[in-house]
Every structure is written in C-alpha cells, then in structure tokens.
Amino acid sequence: FAHRVGPAEGTGEVILRNLADGKETKFPGGGGFGQLQFSFDSKWFAFGVTPYTRPGATPPGGPRPKPKLVIVNTGTGEKTELDGVSSFEFSG
C-alpha cells in the first residue's frame, strides 16, 4: 500500500507500507501530488517527485527545478532516482 501526504504548501512525503508486517518506509515526496504506481507483479514501486519551490522564489522565465522518478525494489528497499523524468509507465 502506498500514499502521499503533504501540506498545501511545502514538501510532502510518500509512504510505502508492507501490509504483511506493517513496516513503513518514507521517501521525500517533493511538492504537489504526483503519480504513484506499482508494477503488475508488485516487485517495483515508482513515483514522480517535483521539487517544491516557494511562490516568487524563481524569477519569471527562470530555470525551474526538474522533476525526477524514484523507483523502489519492494523486496529489498533499494531505491533508484532518475532526473528529468516527468511521466512513466510500467510495461506489461
């Protein structure tokens, strides 16, 4: 089971919970509420992270923080991050 928790403004977190033993793992979730997805066999979990920026902190037309994709092996807990990924989908 996974869900994202966050304030209206600021940085949230993604919580991954093993339903068999109740163990929770928390990951930085960035700002906003992006996509959460398990692979078909539930061996992988992935979610998008967009870094939070305060309103007015970036000048108009200035560089915006790049989103990233976080992929977690649900068996080992190993995490991989890929910068610049704004969308994803597990293959069949």
Side-chain angles (χ1 to χ4, degrees):
F1 173 74
H3 62 100
R4 191 182 293 260
V5 177
E9 289 186 17
T11 301
E13 60 186 6
V14 173
I15 301 171
L16 180 62
R17 173 182 271 193
N18 183 326
L19 294 178
D21 63 12
K23 179 183 173 194
E24 285 188 351
T25 307
K26 297 180 180 183
F27 303 95
F33 294 88
Q35 182 179 1
L36 305 173
Q37 188 176 57
F38 284 94
S39 64
F40 182 71
D41 60 5
S42 297
K43 292 182 179 180
W44 300 94
F45 171 65
F47 60 96
V49 176
T50 302
Y52 174 73
T53 54
R54 288 185 332 231
T58 305
R64 300 181 66 175
K66 291 186 178 184
K68 66 181 173 181
L69 174 66
V70 179
I71 304 171
V72 180
N73 180 322
T74 57
T76 65
E78 183 179 337
K79 174 179 83 165
T80 302
E81 296 183 6
L82 303 169
D83 289 327
V85 178
S86 58
S87 67
F88 64 93
E89 186 174 334
F90 285 107
S91 66

mmCIF file of all heavy atoms in Angstrom, residues 16-33:
data_model
loop_
_atom_site.group_PDB
_atom_site.id
_atom_site.type_symbol
_atom_site.label_atom_id
_atom_site.label_comp_id
_atom_site.label_asym_id
_atom_site.label_seq_id
_atom_site.Cartn_x
_atom_site.Cartn_y
_atom_site.Cartn_z
ATOM 1 N N LEU A 16 5.319 4.097 1.905
ATOM 2 C CA LEU A 16 5.141 2.753 1.365
ATOM 3 C C LEU A 16 5.002 1.810 2.558
ATOM 4 O O LEU A 16 5.878 1.764 3.415
ATOM 5 C CB LEU A 16 6.350 2.369 0.507
ATOM 6 C CG LEU A 16 6.357 1.000 -0.143
ATOM 7 C CD1 LEU A 16 5.199 0.855 -1.122
ATOM 8 C CD2 LEU A 16 7.684 0.786 -0.867
ATOM 9 N N ARG A 17 3.879 1.083 2.634
ATOM 10 C CA ARG A 17 3.627 0.204 3.781
ATOM 11 C C ARG A 17 3.459 -1.236 3.312
ATOM 12 O O ARG A 17 2.703 -1.516 2.395
ATOM 13 C CB ARG A 17 2.382 0.632 4.514
ATOM 14 C CG ARG A 17 1.983 -0.357 5.615
ATOM 15 C CD ARG A 17 0.732 0.048 6.286
ATOM 16 N NE ARG A 17 1.130 0.914 7.393
ATOM 17 C CZ ARG A 17 0.306 1.250 8.353
ATOM 18 N NH1 ARG A 17 -0.931 0.852 8.350
ATOM 19 N NH2 ARG A 17 0.728 2.028 9.324
ATOM 20 N N ASN A 18 4.179 -2.130 3.965
ATOM 21 C CA ASN A 18 4.050 -3.564 3.725
ATOM 22 C C ASN A 18 2.851 -4.049 4.528
ATOM 23 O O ASN A 18 2.860 -3.978 5.757
ATOM 24 C CB ASN A 18 5.326 -4.288 4.156
ATOM 25 C CG ASN A 18 5.283 -5.762 3.878
ATOM 26 O OD1 ASN A 18 4.239 -6.401 3.947
ATOM 27 N ND2 ASN A 18 6.441 -6.320 3.570
ATOM 28 N N LEU A 19 1.817 -4.526 3.850
ATOM 29 C CA LEU A 19 0.605 -4.942 4.554
ATOM 30 C C LEU A 19 0.806 -6.218 5.364
ATOM 31 O O LEU A 19 0.089 -6.458 6.326
ATOM 32 C CB LEU A 19 -0.547 -5.130 3.568
ATOM 33 C CG LEU A 19 -1.021 -3.845 2.880
ATOM 34 C CD1 LEU A 19 -2.120 -4.142 1.892
ATOM 35 C CD2 LEU A 19 -1.474 -2.823 3.896
ATOM 36 N N ALA A 20 1.790 -7.044 4.999
ATOM 37 C CA ALA A 20 2.024 -8.296 5.722
ATOM 38 C C ALA A 20 2.591 -8.054 7.125
ATOM 39 O O ALA A 20 2.171 -8.678 8.092
ATOM 40 C CB ALA A 20 2.962 -9.193 4.923
ATOM 41 N N ASP A 21 3.562 -7.125 7.228
ATOM 42 C CA ASP A 21 4.194 -6.907 8.534
ATOM 43 C C ASP A 21 3.996 -5.497 9.102
ATOM 44 O O ASP A 21 4.434 -5.199 10.201
ATOM 45 C CB ASP A 21 5.691 -7.242 8.475
ATOM 46 C CG ASP A 21 6.477 -6.357 7.520
ATOM 47 O OD1 ASP A 21 5.944 -5.327 7.063
ATOM 48 O OD2 ASP A 21 7.627 -6.707 7.221
ATOM 49 N N GLY A 22 3.345 -4.613 8.346
ATOM 50 C CA GLY A 22 3.076 -3.258 8.826
ATOM 51 C C GLY A 22 4.251 -2.300 8.753
ATOM 52 O O GLY A 22 4.147 -1.153 9.163
ATOM 53 N N LYS A 23 5.392 -2.742 8.221
ATOM 54 C CA LYS A 23 6.575 -1.882 8.141
ATOM 55 C C LYS A 23 6.334 -0.751 7.141
ATOM 56 O O LYS A 23 5.859 -0.979 6.035
ATOM 57 C CB LYS A 23 7.788 -2.701 7.704
ATOM 58 C CG LYS A 23 9.042 -1.882 7.576
ATOM 59 C CD LYS A 23 10.202 -2.704 7.062
ATOM 60 C CE LYS A 23 11.389 -1.801 6.791
ATOM 61 N NZ LYS A 23 12.408 -2.471 6.012
ATOM 62 N N GLU A 24 6.670 0.472 7.551
ATOM 63 C CA GLU A 24 6.540 1.643 6.689
ATOM 64 C C GLU A 24 7.909 2.180 6.301
ATOM 65 O O GLU A 24 8.813 2.220 7.130
ATOM 66 C CB GLU A 24 5.775 2.767 7.392
ATOM 67 C CG GLU A 24 4.319 2.547 7.500
ATOM 68 C CD GLU A 24 3.587 3.768 8.029
ATOM 69 O OE1 GLU A 24 4.227 4.745 8.474
ATOM 70 O OE2 GLU A 24 2.356 3.739 8.005
ATOM 71 N N THR A 25 8.013 2.597 5.044
ATOM 72 C CA THR A 25 9.206 3.274 4.550
ATOM 73 C C THR A 25 8.752 4.614 3.996
ATOM 74 O O THR A 25 7.799 4.668 3.221
ATOM 75 C CB THR A 25 9.897 2.445 3.446
ATOM 76 O OG1 THR A 25 10.132 1.122 3.932
ATOM 77 C CG2 THR A 25 11.209 3.071 3.041
ATOM 78 N N LYS A 26 9.435 5.689 4.400
ATOM 79 C CA LYS A 26 9.060 7.033 3.964
ATOM 80 C C LYS A 26 10.122 7.589 3.033
ATOM 81 O O LYS A 26 11.314 7.409 3.258
ATOM 82 C CB LYS A 26 8.879 7.954 5.168
ATOM 83 C CG LYS A 26 7.749 7.501 6.068
ATOM 84 C CD LYS A 26 7.584 8.416 7.262
ATOM 85 C CE LYS A 26 6.440 7.917 8.138
ATOM 86 N NZ LYS A 26 6.190 8.804 9.256
ATOM 87 N N PHE A 27 9.652 8.283 1.986
ATOM 88 C CA PHE A 27 10.526 8.899 0.997
ATOM 89 C C PHE A 27 10.133 10.361 0.833
ATOM 90 O O PHE A 27 8.942 10.692 0.909
ATOM 91 C CB PHE A 27 10.367 8.209 -0.363
ATOM 92 C CG PHE A 27 10.633 6.733 -0.339
ATOM 93 C CD1 PHE A 27 9.595 5.831 -0.196
ATOM 94 C CD2 PHE A 27 11.916 6.242 -0.465
ATOM 95 C CE1 PHE A 27 9.824 4.467 -0.183
ATOM 96 C CE2 PHE A 27 12.170 4.884 -0.452
ATOM 97 C CZ PHE A 27 11.112 3.998 -0.310
ATOM 98 N N PRO A 28 11.097 11.257 0.580
ATOM 99 C CA PRO A 28 10.744 12.644 0.279
ATOM 100 C C PRO A 28 9.865 12.689 -0.965
ATOM 101 O O PRO A 28 10.176 12.064 -1.978
ATOM 102 C CB PRO A 28 12.092 13.320 0.022
ATOM 103 C CG PRO A 28 13.105 12.417 0.652
ATOM 104 C CD PRO A 28 12.542 11.036 0.590
ATOM 105 N N GLY A 29 8.743 13.405 -0.873
ATOM 106 C CA GLY A 29 7.784 13.418 -1.974
ATOM 107 C C GLY A 29 7.736 14.695 -2.774
ATOM 108 O O GLY A 29 6.987 14.787 -3.739
ATOM 109 N N GLY A 30 8.517 15.705 -2.380
ATOM 110 C CA GLY A 30 8.509 16.958 -3.121
ATOM 111 C C GLY A 30 7.224 17.733 -2.902
ATOM 112 O O GLY A 30 6.482 17.499 -1.956
ATOM 113 N N GLY A 31 6.951 18.671 -3.800
ATOM 114 C CA GLY A 31 5.740 19.475 -3.722
ATOM 115 C C GLY A 31 4.673 18.922 -4.643
ATOM 116 O O GLY A 31 4.960 18.303 -5.652
ATOM 117 N N GLY A 32 3.435 19.128 -4.307
ATOM 118 C CA GLY A 32 2.343 18.646 -5.152
ATOM 119 C C GLY A 32 2.058 17.175 -4.939
ATOM 120 O O GLY A 32 2.588 16.536 -4.039
ATOM 121 N N PHE A 33 1.193 16.654 -5.793
ATOM 122 C CA PHE A 33 0.772 15.270 -5.676
ATOM 123 C C PHE A 33 0.887 14.600 -7.030
ATOM 124 O O PHE A 33 0.052 14.797 -7.899
ATOM 125 C CB PHE A 33 -0.668 15.196 -5.149
ATOM 126 C CG PHE A 33 -0.780 15.704 -3.747
ATOM 127 C CD1 PHE A 33 -1.006 17.040 -3.485
ATOM 128 C CD2 PHE A 33 -0.592 14.840 -2.687
ATOM 129 C CE1 PHE A 33 -1.085 17.503 -2.190
ATOM 130 C CE2 PHE A 33 -0.664 15.299 -1.386
ATOM 131 C CZ PHE A 33 -0.913 16.627 -1.137
#
